[in-house]
Amino acid sequence: MSMNRQGRQTQPNEKSDGSQTQSTHSGNRGLQIEEPLLFELGDTTTTGVDLPKLPDSDHDNATRFGDLARSEPIGLAGLSEPETMRHYVRLSQKNYSIDTGIYPLGSCTMKHNPRLNEKMARLPGMMDIHPLQPQSTVPGAIELMEELAHWLMELTNMQAIALSPKAGAHGELCGMMAIKAAHEHAGDSHRNIVLVPDSAHGTNPATAALIGYKVRSVPAQSDGTVTAASVKEALDENVAAIMLTNPNTGGVFEREIVEIAELIHEAGAYFYCDGANFNAIAGKVRPGDLGVDAMHFNLHKTFSTPHGGGGPGSGPVVLSRRLAPFAPYPFLQREGETAKLVENSADHAGDDHHPFGRMTAFHGQWGMYTRALTYMRSHGVDGLRQASEDAVLNANYVRACLSGHMSLAFGEDHICMHEVLFDDAFLKGTGVTTLDFAKAMIDEGFHPMTVYFPLIVHGAMLVEPTESESKASLDQFIHVMIALTKQAKEGQSEHFSSAPVFTPRGRLDETGAARKPILRWLPEKEMSTE
Ligand SMILES: *Cc1c(COP(=O)(O)O)cnc(C)c1O
């Protein structure tokens, strides 16, 4: 494989044996332009603009910068505006996005982001406010936050909310810190164990461990669900909480959730629900009715807002009445006609709030609040319910059409919620792995589904189409999945092991990229010392 000195593969579409799959004189493939790095394009000794030379001062031959004068070239690639523009536009054209095609990443809820959301978030009154403005100058913004809070509490039947967490994992941390604060307040600080099913998203045990809890794993059944009996088995007087995802990461509703909540409460512990999969049940089920004490939303999943392309997340947490006093600053409080954000203890002296601290410097992801509330208001409660129903219907359509071709992790008759889980049993004996299958999908122009998660099934492939996809788009996806399945079963393993071949680069060393990332360009002479 040809590499530049920074370790970047320089030849497009090389096969693992070093041969080219298809070559052109330019390295370009039609409109897919082969694009070097900025530093390979530009010369560090030239600049895109010519400025007049600075006048030298008279004495000591020094410039007016004194000691700060640059002694060596700045080390940036000198490119003109059109060259720079082309570079970034070409890179942007290599992106895959929800606006390009179906993005079936399970657990991520990659749905269409209505342009109306963007229009609202970009209104000058929304976009140009500053977090340090006095509250009296932004009553509209506080009202918007209060309305969003109202919708989120209403949809879950919960009594308090912390809006500020900046993503799902941050929301988990917030909810678990509220639980810890509640135990400490009650003199129960000996409780040092958090129960987490082995089907959980990795952020759950990580959150518990980060704030000093020991994680006790609860085994999932073969369909990924957790039984009340296994929770009972794991419970003792040192358990502080359980963290449970519903529907779970296999796309299955936890049928014994009410019983589990009762057991947890009887044992003096709290029930944290990971709400990342709320898209399956919004408008249908209120987690507060199931006995949940704390749950985060991923506004960037359930309520659109652009994520996946690096857009910001937002992870508000709703809390039950018992946890409400421990909600962090800032929290919303009504004072007659107006709402205000309570920022510190001086603002609520003498009441029974015991905030555990604060999660963020300011108030959270304001732009995401605007987008999520726009999404909610344009759907209405009935529309949100229909979105959930359509998401579940779409996943089950995929499940039913692929049943008999690919292998369903929990059996042929198991109806799923918003995502459908396959394992790699259908690839047995073909020499094709889950990873190979996913790479072949890229050649077909599809973003692969989530692979190798959840860990409880072998070679997992988790497909979440969301409600955004039309039947036509699902049919196209299904057609390709069936065709690839046939190819694998016919023994064309070479087709898979060499994939992807139509992308600018073939298969990369993903482990190397994760473990030894080369994150910045170094001039040649620094390379040798690094
Ligand atoms: C996405 C997800 C998370 C983490 O949310 P982030 O917003 O990525 O931090 C946690 N749990 C589950 C089940 C998820 O799908």
Side-chain angles (χ1 to χ4, degrees), residues 180-191:
K180 195 169 196 193
H183 280 311
E184 278 167 9
H185 188 77
D188 254 358
S189 24
H190 65 280
R191 293 181 181 266

Side-chain angles (χ1 to χ4, degrees), residues 107 167-169 172 201 203 245 274 276 298 300-301:
S107 214
E172 288 173 35
H201 195 270
T203 51
T245 310
D274 180 329
N298 303 62
H300 50 287
K301 293 179 181 172

Side-chain angles (χ1 to χ4, degrees), residues 414-431:
H414 210 304
I415 287 179
C416 61
M417 295 292 289
H418 62 304
E419 52 194 354
V420 51
L421 181 60
F422 300 93
D423 61 20
D424 61 2
F426 74 103
L427 294 173
K428 203 165 183 193
T430 62

Side-chain angles (χ1 to χ4, degrees), residues 109 111 276-282 301-302 387-388 391 418 464 466-467:
T109 312
K111 60 167 75 178
N277 293 339
F278 196 59
N279 202 51
I281 56 173
K301 293 179 181 172
T302 310
S388 297
H418 62 304
E464 179 180 5
T466 83
E467 69 281 5

Side-chain angles (χ1 to χ4, degrees), residues 7-18:
R8 188 178 78 84
Q9 187 189 334
T10 53
Q11 291 299 311
N13 293 300
E14 268 186 11
K15 288 187 177 174
S16 45
D17 63 5

